[in-house]
Amino acid sequence: MFRLYEGLERLGPGSAASTARALALAGALPAGARILDIGCGTGAQTLDLLRQCDCHVTAVDMHQPFLDSLMARAEGAGLVSRVRTLCADMNALELPDGAYDVLWSEGAIYHIGFDVGLTQWRRLLRPEGVLVVSEMSWFVDSPPQDALDFWREGYPQMRHENANAEAMERHGYELLGSFRLPVADWWDVYYADLTVRLEAFETLYGSTEEGRAIIDEQRREFDVMRRGGDSCGYVFYVARKHGQGVC
């Protein structure tokens, strides 16, 4: 799976415009804001954050080649002095409490579960710090059967966008705003590049059982999202830390 995604500009749906919109919902940040980008991948959103605000970013991922790619891109963009990388498991971040003004995670919190991320990462935020995450969510109560079947297999914990918003309040955050990623954030870069990459991947690994399974599953996702993308998708949730929260 890592081989499939290496070299892609984005490892999931998103855009500089959506990152900017989420950043605006976070409100005014202190000068030189400390941002922790969790599950950064190759860092498309990391670079967008560095371009869009006065900040220093610690970018976390468990796959070192992704981090190497991020640093090469940051150097090429003249941004390397404001970013550092950390190769670590997002489920076991050995970082100090209250060290960050913003926790940012685009399309990655599902790896440990939305509620687990909300509770485990909360300690890393300073008082009144801001959590910004995008999460795969249902938009309707009765989605098409093929979409329901696909996501029940791929992400059975996926919930309605309203349930995720309520979870943030329950875990000690004040929801500042949310919005759905536009269809273009899926197809213009992420799926467009992944389609090309998949063809090369198939040449190398299509004859293997594991490679064939990855290829077939990805093409099934294309089909499900092409026909039923109005029933589900990524939602950006932006919330401020407050109170004690619950476990």
Side-chain angles (χ1 to χ4, degrees):
M1 186 63 75
F2 284 134
R3 294 277 180 87
L4 174 61
Y5 283 94
E6 285 176 0
L8 293 181
E9 178 181 345
R10 286 189 174 272
L11 306 191
S15 66
S18 289
T19 294
R21 184 176 175 185
L23 189 61
L25 286 174
L29 300 178
R34 298 159 299 172
I35 300 179
L36 182 66
D37 185 2
I38 305 173
C40 65
T42 53
Q45 73 291 330
T46 314
L47 301 181
D48 289 337
L49 288 169
L50 290 165
R51 294 184 182 106
Q52 293 171 10
C53 71
D54 177 9
C55 64
H56 290 80
V57 180
T58 299
V60 180
D61 202 277
M62 66 182 300
H63 190 51
Q64 186 61 48
F66 288 165
L67 298 175
D68 294 341
S69 176
L70 163 57
M71 290 305 288
R73 295 167 70 185
E75 186 170 5
L79 300 169
V80 72
S81 66
R82 293 194 287 125
V83 61
R84 76 177 187 95
T85 61
L86 175 63
C87 190
D89 183 347
M90 68 172 67
N91 199 33
L93 294 173
E94 296 182 0
L95 295 166
D97 293 356
Y100 298 94
D101 300 296
V102 180
L103 301 186
W104 198 281
S105 185
E106 293 197 24
I109 195 171
Y110 79 92
H111 286 294
I112 61 172
F114 194 71
D115 292 84
V116 173
L118 294 182
T119 55
Q120 287 194 7
W121 299 348
R122 189 174 179 280
R123 69 172 183 81
L124 301 171
L125 274 175
R126 65 167 174 80
E128 304 301 312
V130 179
L131 173 68
V132 184
V133 296
S134 64
E135 166 73 339
M136 194 67 189
S137 310
W138 292 112
F139 302 156
V140 298
D141 294 326
S142 299
Q145 192 61 48
D146 59 344
L148 188 62
D149 291 343
F150 178 82
W151 290 110
R152 275 180 174 171
E153 294 173 20
Y155 188 25
Q157 296 81 20
M158 190 168 127
R159 297 185 299 206
H160 193 280
E161 57 187 331
N162 293 340
N164 287 328
E166 291 167 1
M168 300 195 87
E169 298 281 353
R170 189 168 63 250
H171 289 290
Y173 300 88
E174 174 195 358
L175 187 66
L176 301 177
S178 65
F179 63 92
R180 300 171 183 176
L181 264 63
V183 172
D185 279 15
W186 287 80
W187 293 96
D188 286 2
V189 176
Y190 173 52
Y191 275 171
D193 288 351
L194 188 54
T195 298
V196 174
R197 177 62 179 149
L198 202 62
E199 293 175 358
F201 184 85
E202 185 168 22
T203 299
L204 294 172
Y205 304 107
S207 61
T208 69
E209 182 178 353
E210 184 179 7
R212 189 75 257 162
I214 291 171
I215 294 163
D216 292 346
E217 186 74 359
Q218 187 57 67
R219 288 187 172 148
R220 184 183 171 199
E221 180 182 321
F222 290 159
D223 187 54
V224 165
M225 294 306 295
R226 185 179 292 109
R227 291 184 289 110
D230 57 349
S231 67
C232 61
Y234 273 100
V235 175
F236 255 117
Y237 302 92
V238 182
R240 189 179 307 282
K241 176 182 176 180
H242 73 86
Q244 297 300 314
V246 297
C247 297

